[in-house]
Every structure is written in C-alpha cells, then in structure tokens.
Coordinates of all heavy atoms in Angstrom, one line a residue:
T116 N 9.4 -3.6 -36.2 CA 10.4 -2.5 -36.5 C 9.8 -1.2 -36.1 O 10.5 -0.2 -36.0 CB 10.8 -2.5 -37.9 OG1 9.7 -2.3 -38.8 CG2 11.6 -3.8 -38.2
L117 N 8.5 -1.1 -35.8 CA 7.9 0.2 -35.3 C 8.5 0.5 -34.0 O 8.5 1.7 -33.7 CB 6.4 0.1 -35.3 CG 5.6 0.1 -36.6 CD1 4.1 -0.1 -36.4 CD2 5.8 1.5 -37.3
M118 N 9.0 -0.4 -33.2 CA 9.6 -0.1 -32.0 C 10.9 0.8 -32.2 O 11.2 1.6 -31.3 CB 10.2 -1.4 -31.3 CG 9.1 -2.2 -30.6 SD 9.9 -3.6 -29.7 CE 10.0 -4.8 -31.1
L119 N 11.4 0.7 -33.4 CA 12.6 1.6 -33.6 C 12.2 3.0 -34.1 O 13.0 3.8 -34.3 CB 13.5 0.9 -34.7 CG 13.9 -0.5 -34.4 CD1 14.7 -1.1 -35.6 CD2 14.7 -0.6 -33.1
Q120 N 10.9 3.2 -34.2 CA 10.4 4.5 -34.7 C 9.7 5.3 -33.6 O 9.1 6.3 -33.9 CB 9.4 4.2 -35.9 CG 9.9 3.3 -37.0 CD 11.0 4.0 -37.8 OE1 11.1 5.2 -37.8 NE2 11.8 3.1 -38.4
Y121 N 9.7 4.8 -32.4 CA 9.0 5.5 -31.3 C 9.3 7.0 -31.1 O 8.4 7.8 -31.0 CB 9.3 4.8 -29.9 CG 8.7 3.5 -29.7 CD1 9.3 2.6 -28.8 CD2 7.6 3.0 -30.4 CE1 8.8 1.3 -28.6 CE2 7.0 1.8 -30.2 CZ 7.6 0.9 -29.3 OH 7.0 -0.3 -29.0
E122 N 10.7 7.3 -31.2 CA 11.0 8.7 -31.0 C 10.4 9.6 -32.0 O 9.8 10.7 -31.7 CB 12.5 8.8 -31.0 CG 13.1 10.2 -30.7 CD 12.8 10.7 -29.2 OE1 12.6 9.8 -28.4 OE2 12.7 11.9 -29.0
E123 N 10.5 9.2 -33.3 CA 9.9 10.1 -34.3 C 8.4 10.1 -34.2 O 7.7 11.2 -34.5 CB 10.3 9.4 -35.7 CG 10.0 10.5 -36.9 CD 10.8 10.1 -38.1 OE1 11.7 9.2 -38.1 OE2 10.5 10.8 -39.2
L124 N 7.7 9.0 -33.9 CA 6.3 8.9 -33.7 C 5.8 9.8 -32.5 O 4.7 10.4 -32.6 CB 5.8 7.5 -33.5 CG 5.9 6.6 -34.7 CD1 5.7 5.1 -34.3 CD2 4.9 7.0 -35.8
L125 N 6.6 9.9 -31.5 CA 6.3 10.7 -30.4 C 6.4 12.3 -30.8 O 5.8 13.1 -30.1 CB 7.3 10.4 -29.2 CG 6.9 9.1 -28.5 CD1 8.1 8.8 -27.5 CD2 5.6 9.2 -27.8
H126 N 7.2 12.6 -31.8 CA 7.3 13.9 -32.2 C 6.2 14.3 -33.2 O 6.1 15.5 -33.5 CB 8.7 14.2 -32.9 CG 9.9 14.2 -31.9 ND1 10.0 15.3 -31.0 CD2 10.9 13.4 -31.7 CE1 11.1 15.0 -30.3 NE2 11.6 13.9 -30.6
N127 N 5.4 13.4 -33.6 CA 4.3 13.7 -34.5 C 3.1 13.9 -33.7 O 2.6 13.0 -33.0 CB 4.1 12.5 -35.5 CG 3.1 12.7 -36.5 OD1 2.0 13.4 -36.2 ND2 3.3 12.2 -37.7
P128 N 2.5 15.1 -33.7 CA 1.2 15.3 -33.0 C 0.2 14.4 -33.2 O -0.6 14.1 -32.2 CB 0.8 16.8 -33.4 CG 2.1 17.4 -33.9 CD 2.8 16.2 -34.6
A129 N 0.0 13.8 -34.4 CA -1.1 12.9 -34.6 C -0.8 11.5 -34.0 O -1.8 10.8 -33.6 CB -1.2 12.7 -36.2
T130 N 0.4 11.1 -33.8 CA 0.6 9.8 -33.2 C 1.2 9.8 -31.8 O 1.4 8.8 -31.1 CB 1.6 9.0 -34.1 OG1 2.8 9.8 -34.3 CG2 1.0 8.8 -35.5
R131 N 1.5 11.0 -31.3 CA 2.2 11.1 -30.0 C 1.3 10.4 -28.9 O 1.7 9.5 -28.1 CB 2.4 12.5 -29.6 CG 3.0 12.7 -28.2 CD 3.3 14.2 -27.9 NE 3.7 14.4 -26.5 CZ 4.9 14.1 -26.1 NH1 5.8 13.7 -26.9 NH2 5.2 14.4 -24.8
E132 N 0.1 10.8 -28.8 CA -0.8 10.3 -27.7 C -1.1 8.8 -27.8 O -1.0 8.0 -26.8 CB -2.1 11.1 -27.6 CG -1.9 12.5 -27.0 CD -1.3 12.4 -25.6 OE1 -1.7 11.5 -24.8 OE2 -0.5 13.3 -25.3
P133 N -1.4 8.2 -29.1 CA -1.6 6.8 -29.1 C -0.4 6.0 -28.8 O -0.5 4.9 -28.2 CB -2.0 6.6 -30.6 CG -2.6 8.0 -31.1 CD -1.8 9.0 -30.3
V134 N 0.8 6.5 -29.2 CA 2.0 5.7 -28.9 C 2.3 5.7 -27.4 O 2.6 4.7 -26.8 CB 3.2 6.3 -29.7 CG1 4.5 5.7 -29.1 CG2 3.1 6.0 -31.2
M135 N 2.1 6.9 -26.8 CA 2.4 7.0 -25.3 C 1.4 6.1 -24.6 O 1.9 5.5 -23.6 CB 2.2 8.5 -24.9 CG 3.3 9.4 -25.3 SD 3.1 11.1 -24.7 CE 3.2 10.8 -22.9
E136 N 0.2 6.2 -25.0 CA -0.9 5.3 -24.3 C -0.6 3.9 -24.4 O -0.7 3.1 -23.4 CB -2.2 5.7 -24.7 CG -3.4 4.9 -24.1 CD -3.5 5.2 -22.6 OE1 -2.9 6.3 -22.1 OE2 -4.0 4.4 -21.9
G137 N -0.3 3.5 -25.6 CA 0.0 2.0 -25.9 C 1.2 1.5 -25.1 O 1.2 0.5 -24.5
M138 N 2.3 2.4 -25.1 CA 3.5 1.9 -24.4 C 3.2 2.0 -22.9 O 3.8 1.2 -22.2 CB 4.7 2.9 -24.8 CG 5.2 2.6 -26.2 SD 5.4 0.9 -26.7 CE 6.6 0.4 -25.3
R139 N 2.5 3.0 -22.4 CA 2.3 3.1 -21.0 C 1.4 1.8 -20.5 O 1.8 1.2 -19.5 CB 1.4 4.3 -20.7 CG 1.1 4.6 -19.2 CD 0.2 5.7 -19.0 NE 0.8 7.0 -19.5 CZ 0.3 7.7 -20.5 NH1 -0.8 7.3 -21.1 NH2 0.9 8.7 -20.9
E140 N 0.5 1.4 -21.3 CA -0.3 0.2 -20.9 C 0.6 -1.1 -20.9 O 0.4 -1.9 -20.0 CB -1.5 0.0 -21.8 CG -2.6 1.1 -21.7 CD -3.7 0.9 -22.5 OE1 -3.7 0.0 -23.5 OE2 -4.7 1.7 -22.4
R141 N 1.5 -1.2 -21.9 CA 2.3 -2.4 -21.9 C 3.3 -2.4 -20.7 O 3.4 -3.4 -20.0 CB 3.2 -2.4 -23.2 CG 2.4 -2.8 -24.4 CD 3.3 -3.0 -25.6 NE 2.5 -3.4 -26.8 CZ 3.0 -3.7 -28.0 NH1 4.4 -3.6 -28.1 NH2 2.3 -3.9 -29.0
R142 N 3.9 -1.2 -20.5 CA 4.8 -1.1 -19.4 C 4.2 -1.4 -18.0 O 4.7 -2.1 -17.2 CB 5.5 0.3 -19.4 CG 6.5 0.5 -18.4 CD 7.1 1.9 -18.5 NE 8.3 2.0 -17.6 CZ 8.2 2.8 -16.5 NH1 7.1 3.4 -16.1 NH2 9.3 2.9 -15.7
N143 N 3.1 -0.8 -17.9 CA 2.3 -0.9 -16.5 C 1.9 -2.3 -16.4 O 2.0 -2.8 -15.2 CB 1.2 0.1 -16.5 CG 1.6 1.5 -16.4 OD1 2.8 1.9 -16.2 ND2 0.7 2.4 -16.5
Y144 N 1.3 -2.9 -17.3 CA 0.8 -4.2 -17.2 C 1.9 -5.3 -16.8 O 1.7 -6.1 -15.9 CB 0.0 -4.8 -18.4 CG -0.6 -6.1 -18.2 CD1 -1.6 -6.2 -17.3 CD2 -0.1 -7.2 -18.8 CE1 -2.2 -7.5 -17.1 CE2 -0.6 -8.5 -18.6 CZ -1.7 -8.6 -17.8 OH -2.2 -9.9 -17.5
L145 N 3.0 -5.3 -17.5 CA 4.0 -6.2 -17.2 C 4.7 -5.8 -15.8 O 5.1 -6.7 -15.1 CB 5.1 -6.2 -18.3 CG 6.2 -7.3 -18.2 CD1 5.6 -8.6 -18.2 CD2 7.2 -7.1 -19.4
A146 N 4.7 -4.6 -15.5 CA 5.3 -4.2 -14.2 C 4.4 -4.7 -13.1 O 4.9 -5.2 -12.0 CB 5.4 -2.6 -14.1
E147 N 3.1 -4.7 -13.3 CA 2.1 -5.2 -12.3 C 2.3 -6.7 -12.1 O 2.3 -7.2 -11.0 CB 0.7 -5.0 -12.8 CG 0.3 -3.5 -12.6 CD -1.1 -3.2 -13.3 OE1 -1.8 -4.2 -13.7 OE2 -1.5 -2.0 -13.4
L148 N 2.6 -7.5 -13.3 CA 2.8 -8.9 -13.1 C 4.1 -9.1 -12.3 O 4.2 -10.0 -11.5 CB 2.9 -9.5 -14.5 CG 1.7 -9.7 -15.3 CD1 2.0 -10.2 -16.7 CD2 0.6 -10.5 -14.6
F149 N 5.1 -8.4 -12.6 CA 6.4 -8.6 -11.9 C 6.3 -8.2 -10.5 O 6.8 -8.9 -9.6 CB 7.6 -7.7 -12.6 CG 8.3 -8.4 -13.7 CD1 8.2 -7.9 -15.0 CD2 9.0 -9.6 -13.4 CE1 8.9 -8.6 -16.0 CE2 9.7 -10.3 -14.5 CZ 9.7 -9.7 -15.7

C-alpha cells in the first residue's frame, strides 16, 4: 500500500530522493527487459 502514498512521499524532502531513485530503478530495469 506504500504504492498509494508515492505522491505524498515525493512531497516530503526526507523521502523524495529515495522514492524517486527506487521507482526509477524499477521502471528502467523492467523497460530494459521489455
């Protein structure tokens, strides 16, 4: 259910970068496979 909290976590300076990096890595890796 943390997936449903991305927007709020991105507005928090403490969690913005870790969330962006984690999602970027997931998106990029699966995109590379496809």
Side-chain angles (χ1 to χ4, degrees):
T116 60
L117 285 175
M118 282 186 277
L119 306 179
Q120 309 292 335
Y121 287 158
E122 185 66 24
E123 195 165 350
L124 289 169
L125 287 170
H126 285 293
N127 184 325
T130 53
R131 177 177 172 80
E132 286 302 321
V134 169
M135 285 182 64
E136 182 62 22
M138 291 312 303
R139 184 185 300 114
E140 288 182 355
R141 286 188 180 184
R142 181 177 188 255
N143 290 352
Y144 182 69
L145 189 54
E147 288 171 7
L148 288 179
F149 271 118

